[in-house]
Amino acid sequence: MPPLEVLQFPDPRLKRVSRPLDGVDDDLRALAAEMIEVMYDEPGIGLAAPQVGHDIRLVVMDTEWSDEGREKDPAVIINPEILTREGKVSWEEGCLSVPDFTAEVERSEHIVVRYQNLEGEEVTEDVTGLRAVCFQHEVDHLDGVLFIDRISRLRRSLYVKRRKKQLRLEEEPASLES
Ligand code: NI
């Protein structure tokens, strides 16, 4: 299998609504292991399957880990659903698929989520703080939504303009030298 590549905005594959998974098999375990590797390499605290070109409802996440030497404890999250939402919180978000940009996004502060783990067990979890924000960000990916779809239209369009310019420069490196 070729190494996984993280797709970046405006790749249209990031806008697809992913399909639910029906059980865990070896292919899924292998993909999850590879996604975990990519997540730590980048580094990121979460990665959703659509970001690596797979339109399935699979997410890997580790919100505790940082470069400061915490133990890695990756979670594999299958078919996540947000059951309840309470309160509001604003967090400065970024995304491996949205290069060179962060913005404050309003999310629910406290959520209850249900998902299946890699052992096929159903898990219900009460989450707050960064983990709750990350869950909502990743579930959005499964629905084809990026965090820049949740900021003001003006800020989004400024970013899109900058990103398009950057991509044009990447395409025509010769024009920079001439
Ligand atoms: Ni993201």
Side-chain angles (χ1 to χ4, degrees):
M1 229 184 349
L4 292 181
E5 180 203 350
V6 178
L7 306 179
Q8 295 187 328
F9 177 82
D11 193 303
R13 286 170 289 179
L14 293 166
K15 292 181 80 172
R16 295 187 295 192
V17 176
S18 292
R19 61 186 165 80
L21 282 157
D22 184 19
V24 176
D25 61 14
D26 284 345
D27 286 347
L28 187 71
R29 277 185 279 266
L31 176 62
E34 241 191 296
M35 284 172 56
I36 287 167
E37 216 171 295
V38 171
M39 172 177 75
Y40 288 127
D41 272 0
E42 286 284 343
I45 58 171
L47 186 68
Q51 291 181 275
V52 290
H54 292 263
D55 59 337
I56 51 176
R57 301 186 85 80
L58 166 70
V59 165
V60 298
M61 205 188 286
D62 188 349
T63 48
E64 302 290 303
W65 179 77
S66 74
D67 280 330
E68 290 138 44
R70 287 261 323 231
E71 288 287 300
K72 290 176 180 175
D73 183 20
V76 176
I77 291 152
I78 298 165
N79 299 333
E81 280 175 276
I82 297 170
L83 301 179
T84 65
R85 298 172 176 274
E86 251 175 66
K88 293 275 172 245
V89 67
S90 281
W91 212 284
E92 185 85 12
E93 295 188 25
C95 180
L96 298 177
S97 295
V98 183
D100 310 316
F101 187 66
T102 61
E104 276 210 359
V105 181
E106 194 179 88
R107 302 279 188 185
S108 302
E109 185 181 26
H110 175 195
I111 58 173
V112 174
V113 292
R114 183 170 61 201
Y115 57 93
Q116 285 107 52
N117 63 20
L118 210 48
E119 284 70 52
E121 300 156 345
E122 191 173 283
V123 180
T124 304
E125 211 184 306
D126 209 300
V127 263
T128 57
L130 176 61
R131 193 169 168 82
V133 169
C134 192
F135 249 104
Q136 291 167 81
H137 177 117
E138 300 307 333
V139 170
D140 266 357
H141 274 301
L142 304 182
D143 292 326
V145 175
L146 298 174
F147 81 93
I148 51 172
D149 301 324
R150 296 196 179 279
I151 61 178
S152 77
R153 214 184 287 180
L154 175 66
R155 289 212 66 192
R156 188 185 192 284
S157 68
L158 287 173
Y159 173 71
V160 171
K161 210 182 270 180
R162 178 153 65 84
R163 176 74 180 137
K164 285 187 174 157
K165 189 174 166 196
Q166 181 191 15
L167 288 172
R168 274 198 304 273
L169 292 176
E170 278 173 20
E171 268 168 31
E172 308 158 22
S175 66
L176 280 175
E177 285 146 37
S178 61

